[in-house]
């Protein structure tokens, strides 16, 4: 009889704690609706019920729309929102488990896996995001699941590669930002496997990926006679990243400015995007890269989900006190603002991931081939949004992997501190300077002389 092995205790604790916190958040916190939440609920319902007409083009990846629209069609809008929040609580707990598994498989250190999992489980940014009707909870769930399979005990296994390729396709059909990342994983296989096995594995991964990804392309060709691979919003994101972004309405305004007063569509829209992008770079390439780098850095340094709390930003509140007040009363008013501490906690978790994550990447450079699927996704995300529109929300999907690197740095720092304390405590100097007593030399047994 085959012995059933139970999951490690720390994995159960991480996932169980994450689920408990997220279900509690569903009860306590109000739901958060983004600008595109209603679009996914309503247009997704049209897709599911097949009531989309031939002129209502669907330019986004369909996975979250199918999920949101399907629940809307079955339960109605209010119950659908509640169902999505409950489902995303489960998905968020599963993400903690996937992060734990990735960290453990890469390091064989249960302490690192536990810290990485807890970094997601108790992280208020992930908790708030999971309570929102947005694509990120599903996208991050599929992304971390796919990588947890890809980084298996036996890398290059055909079934693992087929499964991870399929999951990457579903992730791309949720958020198209990952569309080129599996190509990077195919290159990674060449770096870590003999070339014949690598080529076979890359073929399995990419065929599984392309097969599932193509279903949406075929649907759009048949339904709308339009060619979409993943989604069609990349051009608009490139345009918005080039000319600036002040809300969704500003995109059409900028298009009208570069197109003689009218908003272009189809081929004219693509031409306007290419012309604007090319002209901007050609006129001042250094200035363009500098400005794009500033936008990227600004989005990277700003925690996701601070907009969940009303009022001015934490940075503006602190800057205003420093510039105009600097009094004890002003500081007290700042610290007693009802949104100050929640926003500060978001900053703490965000910067723990950034700072320790960067250190962890440096510490793992010796084993870079093993860790490059994670560091590669981080670099891929940053490079992609160096050109496309960048906001903290768009960089958020790389944070589970930043927390894995952060866990490596935190655990190694803890081990180093403990070893230093041990070395100081038991150094020859400390031993020589400590009093030597016998078992019977208690104060009551000492003689007067």
């Amino acid at each position: 009889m085959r012995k059933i092995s139970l999951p490690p205790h720390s994995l159960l604790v991480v996932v169980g704690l994450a689920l408990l916190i997220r279900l509690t958040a569903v009860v306590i916190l109000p739901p958060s609706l983004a600008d595109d939440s209603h679009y996914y609920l309503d247009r997704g319902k049209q897709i599911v019920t097949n009531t989309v007409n031939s002129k209502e083009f669907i330019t986004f990846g369909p996975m979250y729309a199918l999920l949101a629209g399907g629940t809307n069609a079955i339960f109605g809008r209010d119950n659908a929102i509640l169902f999505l929040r409950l489902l995303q609580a489960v998905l968020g707990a599963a993400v903690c488990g996937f992060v734990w598994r990735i960290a453990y498989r890469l390091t064989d250190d249960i302490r690192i896996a536990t810290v990485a999992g807890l970094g997601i489980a108790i992280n208020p940014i992930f908790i708030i995001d999971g309570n929102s009707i947005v694509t990120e909870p599903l996208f991050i769930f599929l992304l971390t699941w796919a990588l947890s399979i890809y980084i298996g005990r036996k890398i290059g296994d055909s079934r693992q590669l087929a499964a991870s390729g399929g999951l990457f396709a579903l992730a791309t059909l949720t958020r198209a930002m990952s569309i080129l990342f599996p190509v990077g994983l195919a290159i990674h296989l060449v770096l870590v496997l003999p070339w014949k096995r690598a080529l076979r594995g890359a073929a399995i991964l990419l065929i599984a990926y392309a097969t599932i990804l193509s279903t949406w392309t075929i649907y759009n060709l048949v339904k709308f006679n339009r060619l979409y691979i993943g989604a069609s919003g990349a051009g608009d994101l490139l345009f918005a990243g080039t000319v600036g972004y002040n809300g969704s309405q500003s995109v059409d305004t900028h298009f009208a400015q570069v197109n003689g007063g009218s908003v272009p569509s189809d081929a004219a829209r693509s031409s306007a995007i290419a012309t604007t992008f090319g002209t901007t770079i050609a006129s001042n390439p250094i200035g363009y890269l500098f400005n794009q780098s500033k936008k990227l850095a600004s989005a990277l340094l700003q925690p996701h989900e601070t907009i969940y709390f009303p009022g001015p930003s934490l940075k503006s509140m602190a800057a205003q006190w420093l510039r105009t007040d600097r009094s004890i009363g002003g500081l007290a008013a700042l610290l007693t603002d009802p949104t100050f501490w929640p926003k500060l906690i978001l900053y703490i978790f965000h910067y723990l991931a950034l700072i320790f994550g960067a250190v962890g990447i440096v510490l793992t450079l010796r084993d870079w081939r093993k860790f490059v699927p994670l560091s590669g996704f981080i670099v891929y995300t940053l490079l992609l949004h160096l050109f496309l529109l960048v906001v903290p929300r768009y960089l958020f999907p790389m944070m589970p992997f930043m927390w894995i690197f952060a866990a490596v740095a935190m655990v190694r720092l803890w081990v180093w501190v403990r070893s230093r304390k041990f070395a100081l405590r038991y150094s020859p100097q400390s031993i020589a300077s400590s009093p030597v007593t016998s078992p019977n030399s208690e104060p009551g047994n000492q003689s007067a002389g």
Side-chain angles (χ1 to χ4, degrees), residues 8 22 38 68 71 80 83-84 89 154 160 162 194 220 233 252 273 279-280 286 300 330 353 361 382-384:
R22 281 153 179 77
H38 299 290
T71 54
F83 177 85
L84 288 170
K154 185 181 179 183
Q160 290 179 189
N220 279 283
D252 284 346
I273 293 169
T279 302
T280 303
I286 301 300
L300 183 63
I361 291 173
L382 294 175
L383 287 176
L384 185 69

Side-chain angles (χ1 to χ4, degrees), residues 12-24 89 92-94 96-97 117-118 120-122 127:
L12 296 176
V13 170
V14 165
V15 174
L17 179 62
L19 182 59
L20 177 62
I21 292 173
R22 281 153 179 77
L23 291 176
T24 304
C96 299
L118 288 176
I120 310 298
I122 64 175
I127 296 166

Side-chain angles (χ1 to χ4, degrees), residues 51-76:
T51 57
V52 179
N53 64 51
S54 60
K55 295 182 179 180
E56 292 176 323
F57 310 126
I58 303 165
T59 59
F60 49 81
M63 286 301 296
Y64 194 75
L66 291 172
L67 177 61
T71 54
N72 189 16
I74 295 171
F75 302 116

Side-chain angles (χ1 to χ4, degrees), residues 154-208:
K154 185 181 179 183
I155 192 167
D157 178 80
S158 298
R159 288 179 296 181
Q160 290 179 189
L161 290 172
S164 62
L167 288 169
F168 277 120
L170 294 178
T172 300
L173 290 176
T174 305
R175 286 279 300 275
M177 64 167 287
S178 59
I179 191 166
L180 295 177
F181 183 66
V183 177
L185 292 180
I187 297 173
H188 174 250
L189 291 173
V190 176
L191 295 174
V192 297
L193 295 175
W195 69 272
K196 287 185 178 180
R197 283 184 59 200
L199 292 179
R200 184 183 64 184
I204 293 171
L205 174 74
L206 294 178
I207 289 173

Side-chain angles (χ1 to χ4, degrees), residues 226 236 239 251-274 276:
R226 288 173 175 262
D236 283 4
F239 182 79
V251 177
D252 284 346
T253 301
H254 286 301
F255 268 120
Q257 290 173 352
V258 301
N259 194 56
S262 62
V263 179
S265 60
D266 300 335
R269 195 177 186 91
S270 299
S271 177
I273 293 169
T276 303

Side-chain angles (χ1 to χ4, degrees), residues 343-393:
K343 290 181 180 180
L344 180 61
I345 292 172
L346 299 188
Y347 269 86
I348 290 171
F349 272 87
H350 183 71
Y351 278 87
L352 283 175
L354 285 186
I355 296 171
F356 282 96
V359 174
I361 291 173
V362 174
L363 293 176
T364 56
L365 284 178
R366 181 174 296 179
D367 295 323
W368 67 270
R369 285 183 175 85
K370 183 192 296 186
F371 286 88
V372 78
L374 307 188
S375 57
F377 183 80
I378 294 169
V379 172
Y380 168 84
T381 302
L382 294 175
L383 287 176
L384 185 69
H385 290 288
L386 180 63
F387 300 97
L388 303 184
L389 172 66
V390 58
V391 294
R393 176 184 172 185

